[in-house]
Amino acid sequence: MHTARVRTAAYVIRGRPGGRELLVFDHRDFPEAGTQVPAGGVEGGELLAEAALREIAEETGVAGVTLGTALAVQQSPHPHTGQPQITVYFQAETAETRDGWMHTVVSGDEDRGMAFRCFFVPLEQARGLLAGDQGEFVGLVR
């Protein structure tokens, strides 16, 4: 039996006059990965909330995020290795004013140099837009 990889994912929301929007990104060099929310593995000794905030900052460059409650837990096989993984989804809030930008990861060994096109989408459109099962819990956002 394999030990499950523990991950976090975050639905980062901002309020706009037209409604709430979700922060997402596309991988510049791997468009086949689809549109995603910030997510990734929890490092040894790291709290889940710390991991979620780290992943948001690493993958989007957005700081000053207020992390809310954990919304749900998803169990699924890793899409490439088939190994078990558990992802804890959080809701977060941001006051980010940019509508779109490019962000290059500058920390970590595995993701360093990856470039992401970050942007916001209306929350009600997010579920069908997100890659894999990342849209599964969008309806739980408060």
Side-chain angles (χ1 to χ4, degrees):
M1 175 167 277
H2 297 283
T3 302
R5 177 176 181 233
V6 179
R7 307 173 70 247
T8 62
Y11 295 135
V12 182
I13 307 298
R14 74 173 181 184
R16 293 306 241 195
R20 294 185 300 164
E21 296 177 330
L22 177 68
L23 175 60
V24 298
F25 64 83
D26 291 331
H27 196 303
R28 181 192 65 194
D29 299 321
F30 299 98
E32 65 276 9
T35 301
Q36 301 176 43
V37 297
V42 177
E43 296 174 358
E46 189 176 36
L47 297 175
L48 292 173
E50 292 171 344
L53 289 170
R54 177 181 49 75
E55 288 293 338
I56 294 166
E58 282 182 1
E59 294 182 347
T60 69
V62 173
V65 172
T66 303
L67 193 66
T69 185
L71 298 174
V73 176
Q74 181 183 66
Q75 297 181 52
S76 61
H78 187 280
H80 301 294
T81 66
Q83 298 298 319
Q85 63 182 13
I86 296 171
T87 305
V88 179
Y89 280 78
F90 286 88
Q91 180 173 337
E93 302 287 331
T94 185
E96 177 62 56
T97 58
R98 296 175 290 178
D99 290 325
W101 64 95
M102 287 299 297
H103 175 73
T104 302
V105 178
V106 295
S107 61
D109 294 330
E110 189 175 310
D111 295 342
R112 185 183 314 237
M114 288 185 175
F116 300 109
R117 184 177 68 87
C118 303
F119 57 101
F120 285 89
V121 296
L123 184 60
E124 64 273 5
Q125 295 175 12
R127 184 176 187 143
L129 177 68
L130 293 171
D133 295 328
Q134 285 193 336
E136 182 177 1
F137 305 114
V138 168
L140 298 178
V141 171
R142 295 184 270 284

